[in-house]
Structure formats: structure tokens, C-alpha cells
Amino acid sequence: MALTRRELLKSTAFTVAGTAARSISSAQDNQPPSLGVSIQLLRHATCIIRYGGKTLLLDPMFSSAAAMPAIARTPNPRPNPLVPLTVTPSSFLASIDATLVSHTHFDHWDTPARDLLPKRRTVFVQPPDKDKFDDAGFTDVRSVTSEATWEGLTLTRVGGQHGRGETGQRMGPVSGYVLARTGLPTLYVAGDSVWCSDVDEAIGAHKPDVILLNAGAAQFLDGGPITMDTGDVAKVCQAAPRAKVVAVHMEAINHCVLTRDALRSGLRDAGVNATILTPRDGELVHLT
């Protein structure tokens, strides 16, 4: 049975120019976090972010491949997720210091993640989602209204737009986060957003050195993309020409129609002169 849009809302490297250090690694290596910055894509939007000696789990979706139905009224109607998780959660959960959740659509926060994450572990959420985590038994839920400090890091919540027009309004609130610490590159996690004034303002205000984008051009059969397509990614690169851009959120959920190859070729054809990384599932990207 396919998920309707209403049910969705309720449910829980490539270098275009220049080079970037990157390597393949498994979360099962359980390497201690360094004082630098790295991002490991597990699948879709689920990443392990190592930042200044702390390890954050971003937008965990732990469901097995094909465990959930296709999202209704979308292209490519196949059961979700389309691919398996690259590693087992038990191999990395002990090393996680905190979880960062941009919003609670099922592809960013699912039932297995809710059940497997330690209930006493710190979770950062946007204000509309706090009650959901409290009700699930998490005891250290931190609602980020504008800014939070934690273990020497500053987390600033910024806005986003999960689509345009009426579709974007129906998708509900989403957030991005900016991570900063003295001596480290500033990291902007844009979340599920298309290019919009919120993204433009976040880049202008925080001048990030690294930008993590949810691409994939996720969409329904009408209403246009609800995450970044090639044109949106190009605008981010134009707004932040010196930043390293890491594009994820591709080839794992049925309504994400933009592939890694298509994004790379589209940016190349557009003459984008920026460092763009499109890690494979399981790939660890070293950013410092």
C-alpha cells in the first residue's frame, strides 16, 4: 500500500572544480573522532558528522530495504527504502554523542531509529517536533529555537522551504542547522529545502565553509521538486563559491528522481566552478 501525502507528513565525489580529500570507510571501524570535520553518508540523509571531537547522527532512517511502501502520487513507485543501510546501527550507535533531526518525515526519522536510539542520549530538534520525542521517552530533548551551545559547539537553527507554493506549505516546517566552533570550518546542514531566501540568508549570515545539501529533486506528480534539483544546487554554489558542497539524499527513496550522475553532469554542463562532492552510501568524506 502506498503512502499518501497526508500520511507522509504525519510519519515519523565528485569535484566539479578542484579536489577534496575523501576516502571509503565503514562506520564499523569505530574510529575515535578527531578534532577536524568529516561527514560519512550512511544512506539518503542519514549521516555521521564528526565535528571538533564530537560525533553527531543526522536524520536517522534505519528501516530495511523495501520495508515501507512507496510514497503515493510520486514517480518511480517502488517500496522504500530503495537500498539497504550500508552498516548496522549497532556498529556505530555507541560512538554517537548526540542526534540532530531536521524534521520528522519518515525518511529522516523512522520507527526503527526511534526504537534503537538510547533514550538518554541528547537529541536536537526543531520546536514543532519536541513533543514527539518527549512522548517517545527521550529524556534529553533540546528544542533549538534559534541557537544552542553544547560541548563547545554552537548550533544555530535556520529556516528552509520544503518545496514551493502550496506544495511547500503542505509539507510542513523544516529546519537547517549551522555548526560552529572556534578554529573549525563552519558547517551548514541545509536539510530538506529548495533554494529560497532562507538558504540565501543562512549562507550570507554564516558564510559556511562546508554545506551539506539534500538534493535528489524529490517530488510528487505535481507541484515541482521539494528538495534541491540541479539548478538549486548551482545557486548554492554561486552564493558560496568558496565552500565545499556535499550533496546527499539521492537514490534511496522512490520520489527522489535526481541521481548522483545526473547532478554531476548537470552541474558540469552549467559550468559550475565549485567543489561538489556526491559521496556513495557508506563513504567518509574528510573535510579538514
Side-chain angles (χ1 to χ4, degrees):
M1 181 178 68
L3 287 178
T4 65
R5 182 178 297 170
R6 187 186 193 107
E7 289 168 336
L8 170 66
L9 298 179
K10 289 183 177 179
S11 66
T12 49
F14 167 85
T15 307
V16 173
T19 60
R22 62 200 329 228
S23 65
I24 301 293
S25 177
S26 166
Q28 293 165 322
D29 291 343
N30 271 332
Q31 296 178 344
S34 69
L35 293 179
V37 179
S38 68
I39 297 173
Q40 183 170 17
L41 171 64
L42 301 186
R43 180 183 60 187
H44 194 52
T46 304
C47 297
I48 295 175
I49 298 173
R50 297 178 177 91
Y51 191 89
K54 295 299 174 183
T55 302
L56 294 91
L57 177 63
L58 174 66
D59 284 353
M61 175 184 64
F62 293 163
S63 292
S64 300
M68 298 181 287
I71 299 170
R73 292 191 50 76
T74 59
N76 188 30
R78 295 168 54 197
N80 290 307
L82 304 180
V83 294
L85 195 63
T86 51
V87 293
T88 59
S90 61
S91 69
F92 60 81
L93 281 181
S95 67
I96 300 299
D97 296 306
T99 300
L100 183 63
V101 179
S102 63
H103 66 302
T104 57
H105 288 171
F106 80 92
D107 57 329
H108 295 255
W109 176 255
D110 64 358
T111 299
R114 182 200 67 192
D115 293 343
L116 288 172
L117 284 173
K119 294 297 187 285
R120 295 182 181 180
R121 192 78 45 84
T122 302
V123 184
F124 293 99
V125 301
Q126 60 179 359
D129 294 336
K130 185 177 187 301
D131 288 347
K132 180 176 292 186
F133 288 84
D134 289 337
D135 293 343
F138 290 89
T139 59
D140 188 10
V141 183
R142 306 192 188 188
S143 174
V144 184
T145 302
S146 57
E147 184 178 289
T149 56
W150 171 76
E151 301 290 340
L153 277 61
T154 300
L155 290 84
T156 303
R157 187 174 67 85
V158 296
Q161 189 175 316
H162 202 351
R164 297 181 173 90
E166 184 181 348
T167 299
Q169 293 176 1
R170 284 198 297 263
M171 293 304 294
V174 294
S175 294
Y177 297 92
V178 178
L179 278 62
R181 179 173 175 172
T182 302
L184 287 181
T186 298
L187 169 61
Y188 169 32
V189 178
D192 268 10
S193 181
V194 295
W195 172 260
C196 61
S197 59
D198 287 321
V199 174
D200 192 18
E201 290 167 7
I203 292 172
H206 298 278
K207 297 177 173 51
D209 303 288
V210 179
I211 303 175
L212 180 61
L213 292 181
N214 288 352
Q219 56 193 267
F220 299 97
L221 294 178
D222 54 18
I226 59 174
T227 61
M228 292 200 178
D229 61 12
T230 302
D232 291 330
V233 176
K235 289 177 181 176
V236 170
C237 294
Q238 292 165 2
R242 297 182 181 179
K244 293 178 181 178
V245 176
V246 182
V248 298
H249 200 270
M250 290 176 281
E251 301 178 53
I253 296 293
N254 77 282
H255 69 332
C256 292
V257 299
L258 178 65
T259 66
R260 293 172 175 90
D261 286 347
L263 175 61
R264 290 193 296 263
S265 63
L267 292 172
R268 186 185 299 114
D269 291 345
V272 173
N273 184 27
T275 300
I276 308 292
L277 306 174
T278 58
R280 297 181 291 278
D281 292 350
E283 188 167 359
L284 174 64
V285 179
H286 293 285
L287 297 159
T288 57

